[in-house]
Amino acid sequence: MTRFIEGTARDQALLLPECLDDYVDKDNPVRVVDAFVEMLDLAALGFCVEPDVMGRPGYHPGVMLRIYLYGYLNQVQSSRRLERECGRNLELIWLTGRLKPDFKTIADFRKDNGPAIRKVCQQFVALCRDIKLLNSDIVAIDGSRFKAVNAKAKNYTRGKLKQKLGEIDKAIGLYLQDLDRADEALAKTGSTVPTSQIVRTSRKLAHLQEEKQRYKSVEQRMDETGETQVSLSDPDAKSMATTARMPRVVGYNVQTVVEAKHHLIVAHEVTTLGYDRDALSRMATAALDIMEADEIEAIADKGYFKSEEILACEEAGITPTVSKPLTSGSSAKGRFDRADFVYDADKDVYVCPAGEHLIYRFTNKEAGKTLRSYWSSLCGGCVIKDKCTGSKERRIRRWEHEDVLDRMQQRIDDDPSKLALRSMTVEHPFGTIKTWMGNTHFKMRRLKNVATEMALHVLAYNMTRVMNIIGIPALIQAMRA
């Protein structure tokens, strides 16, 4: 093969063998993994670094952590695939020093060191803060549903069980009618249906009875535990609403806070709640503590709109910007919406579209909130009353802390681009991580293990972002400083 680049012959002996370090460039990302694990105080994070006195020596937690960090950086999350890579991947061979743990050892490390691994993720976020990559004063908050290791067919609610049991009872009734007709025909005419048909019907009845008993056992479990839904493969997974295209998914709701400048994930949390409205202040406060800023602005979509959560953010020194959902049906009916009524703080009145004043009437409490009611006595003679209300008068109720919501709405009106900034900031990490996962489910079951798996995904995402922002040599230098 002349005039082609030729490789080294496989049977060629080398007088001076190459060392492992020759196979890894100085700016290879695998060196970031090595430097990061080297800077960690593994014992303080909760890893067991003292070898057992008895028995066969085990692998150092630093080696196992390096394997997982490399795997999640390169979209290799399976313990069996990691075992194979340790024997054939030159970068992993360099990283582990030719060690090749079996898949069970690799899997057990992730399962047994969940809290410590989650702290490792927090350590990298702290490193990003120390090198001034978290100096933005704006964060975006969002949640996304991730699939669990649980098929929809193995998730049950009371409504679903009632439907399934009804379908089974109906099917059993039809098969029993077939057997009754066969018996009647035999009694009146002496002729019988084919034996194969009787056997087939009997088998179907037995199968339906087994299915009915299985559903009844799930129903009994709900009665005993008080659960509203049961997942058989992953008991912690819940059926959650997502989008119109994919209405429900059995899995977990992952909350993230992403800073707006470098798009790094500052904080995250895995929950089993299928909604976001109670997470705003918790996630925003976590970001404020991690970033060690005096104050930040937290932007979220309308799924996070809850008056109490917005107030809690302001009291914590966080400026919330949350779009308000349109829950009133007035606009759809061709009537004035509540937003068409302007509040005059000096006079403590609402001014309606007709220019009349809705004055304060009384205060009451509802669902723990203090509400003030306003209306006008002149609604009956208003010429545009049909465009306003079908009742005797149009009433407006005002929360005692409504000024907090008014200020937030004014910020949105002054700069509507803030809401677009949220989607450009926080949705990209979700899309990237789900692509790395192969657009499939988590590898592990139960909430605590899924939280560990998500921490590794977040760590890999943040590490990749920082390498792209400041470069690999600069990141390694910062780790060794």
Side-chain angles (χ1 to χ4, degrees):
M1 295 192 304
T2 60
R3 298 192 60 78
F4 287 99
I5 299 175
E6 297 184 12
T8 303
R10 296 189 181 97
D11 57 354
Q12 175 66 52
L14 300 178
L15 179 61
L16 297 175
E18 297 175 324
C19 65
L20 285 178
D21 206 50
D22 294 335
Y23 291 106
V24 177
D25 296 334
K26 297 301 180 182
D27 58 351
N28 193 307
V30 73
R31 293 187 180 272
V32 172
V33 174
D34 187 60
F36 178 60
V37 176
E38 194 67 31
M39 68 168 279
L40 297 174
D41 186 345
L42 298 178
L45 293 175
F47 294 100
C48 180
V49 296
E50 294 296 329
D52 294 333
V53 178
M54 305 291 291
R56 183 177 182 273
Y59 294 98
H60 192 277
V63 173
M64 306 304 297
L65 186 59
R66 285 174 169 87
I67 292 174
Y68 267 115
L69 290 186
Y70 179 86
Y72 277 77
L73 273 173
N74 293 275
Q75 297 87 65
V76 183
Q77 298 108 30
S78 164
S79 58
R80 292 180 183 271
R81 290 184 61 197
L82 284 172
E83 178 190 9
R84 291 195 296 269
E85 293 300 310
C86 284
R88 67 188 183 190
N89 188 308
L90 283 176
E91 293 176 339
L92 264 179
I93 290 172
W94 176 89
L95 194 60
T96 62
R98 293 187 184 276
L99 294 177
K100 185 184 176 183
D102 64 271
F103 76 91
K104 185 69 166 57
T105 302
I106 296 173
D108 286 345
F109 175 81
R110 180 172 54 184
K111 182 183 68 174
D112 298 337
N113 293 277
I117 291 174
R118 294 195 288 273
K119 289 180 182 178
V120 170
C121 179
Q122 296 169 3
Q123 284 290 105
F124 189 81
V125 174
L127 173 66
C128 294
R129 181 192 62 222
D130 294 340
I131 59 179
K132 310 302 181 184
L133 291 180
L134 300 182
N135 53 7
S136 174
D137 57 354
I138 299 177
V139 298
I141 302 175
D142 200 6
S144 184
R145 280 62 168 168
F146 284 69
K147 295 178 185 177
V149 189
N150 199 106
K152 291 182 181 180
K154 292 189 176 182
N155 173 267
Y156 301 99
T157 62
R158 289 194 177 275
K160 188 175 181 180
L161 285 175
K162 184 178 179 180
Q163 177 188 350
K164 292 289 185 183
L165 289 170
E167 292 172 354
I168 288 177
D169 287 339
K170 183 178 179 180
I172 289 175
L174 293 174
Y175 285 124
L176 288 176
Q177 288 178 11
D178 290 343
L179 294 177
D180 290 341
R181 281 195 298 270
D183 292 340
E184 185 179 357
L186 177 64
K188 291 182 177 180
T189 65
S191 63
T192 61
V193 298
T195 304
S196 59
Q197 183 177 343
I198 298 294
V199 171
R200 184 167 61 251
T201 302
S202 300
R203 286 177 178 173
K204 288 181 178 179
L205 274 172
H207 172 71
L208 288 172
Q209 291 290 357
E210 290 178 1
E211 286 290 289
K212 183 175 181 178
Q213 185 57 41
R214 184 164 65 87
Y215 291 139
K216 284 289 186 182
S217 65
V218 175
E219 191 175 48
Q220 181 181 358
R221 171 180 165 180
M222 285 185 173
D223 294 336
E224 293 173 353
T225 62
E227 295 175 279
T228 57
Q229 61 173 285
V230 171
S231 297
L232 299 183
S233 300
D234 185 351
D236 292 338
K238 302 297 179 185
S239 178
M240 302 176 181
T242 53
T243 63
R245 184 174 57 86
M246 189 175 62
R248 303 198 72 83
V249 61
V250 179
Y252 297 89
N253 185 4
V254 180
Q255 298 286 329
T256 61
V257 185
V258 182
E259 57 85 34
K261 186 175 181 180
H262 296 113
H263 295 191
L264 294 169
I265 300 176
V266 178
H268 75 279
E269 181 182 5
V270 182
T271 73
T272 56
L273 299 175
Y275 53 87
D276 301 327
R277 59 182 175 270
D278 293 331
L280 179 65
S281 62
R282 182 176 72 252
M283 299 306 298
T285 303
L288 182 66
D289 294 339
I290 293 171
M291 297 173 72
E292 295 184 349
D294 295 330
E295 60 180 32
I296 59 173
E297 181 177 1
I299 309 174
D301 62 21
K302 60 186 178 183
Y304 289 84
F305 191 94
K306 186 177 180 180
S307 303
E308 297 90 332
E309 290 289 307
I310 294 170
L311 176 62
C313 284
E314 278 221 348
E315 291 175 345
I318 300 165
T319 303
T321 301
V322 185
S323 56
K324 187 175 182 179
L326 299 176
T327 56
S328 173
S330 298
S331 297
K333 297 176 182 178
R335 292 175 176 170
F336 294 114
D337 192 69
R338 188 182 189 279
D340 297 317
F341 292 76
V342 180
Y343 181 68
D344 188 334
D346 295 332
K347 297 179 180 180
D348 190 24
V349 297
Y350 275 93
V351 181
C352 76
E356 297 295 339
H357 288 179
L358 281 66
I359 63 175
Y360 167 72
R361 301 292 181 169
F362 63 86
T363 299
N364 69 321
K365 285 195 173 183
E366 185 176 317
K369 298 169 67 175
T370 301
L371 302 173
R372 295 165 59 86
S373 294
Y374 300 76
W375 72 81
S376 172
S377 302
L378 305 176
C379 288
C382 182
V383 295
I384 56 173
K385 182 175 182 294
D386 61 321
K387 299 293 184 182
C388 186
T389 181
S391 304
K392 180 180 178 181
E393 67 269 325
R394 178 65 180 263
R395 298 193 177 196
I396 299 291
R397 295 195 299 174
R398 182 178 178 83
W399 182 38
E400 61 177 331
H401 300 293
E402 192 84 19
D403 56 313
V404 174
L405 304 182
D406 291 341
R407 289 195 297 270
M408 184 179 71
Q409 187 59 48
Q410 188 60 50
R411 290 195 297 271
I412 295 175
D413 294 339
D414 293 341
D415 189 2
S417 63
K418 287 287 181 65
L419 299 180
L421 176 64
R422 179 208 65 82
S423 61
M424 292 186 292
T425 300
V426 76
E427 292 181 2
H428 175 262
F430 279 135
T432 300
I433 290 174
K434 287 183 177 181
T435 300
W436 288 354
M437 292 174 65
N439 293 311
T440 184
H441 51 70
F442 285 112
K443 303 294 183 187
M444 306 180 75
R445 297 177 173 88
R446 307 308 297 255
L447 177 60
K448 63 177 183 179
N449 295 327
V450 168
T452 301
E453 192 174 348
M454 193 66 207
L456 286 167
H457 281 296
V458 170
L459 176 56
Y461 173 83
N462 281 341
M463 193 172 286
T464 302
R465 286 291 304 161
V466 175
M467 284 190 284
N468 291 335
I469 292 168
I470 67 174
I472 292 173
L475 180 55
I476 294 175
Q477 184 179 359
M479 290 175 176
R480 294 174 176 172

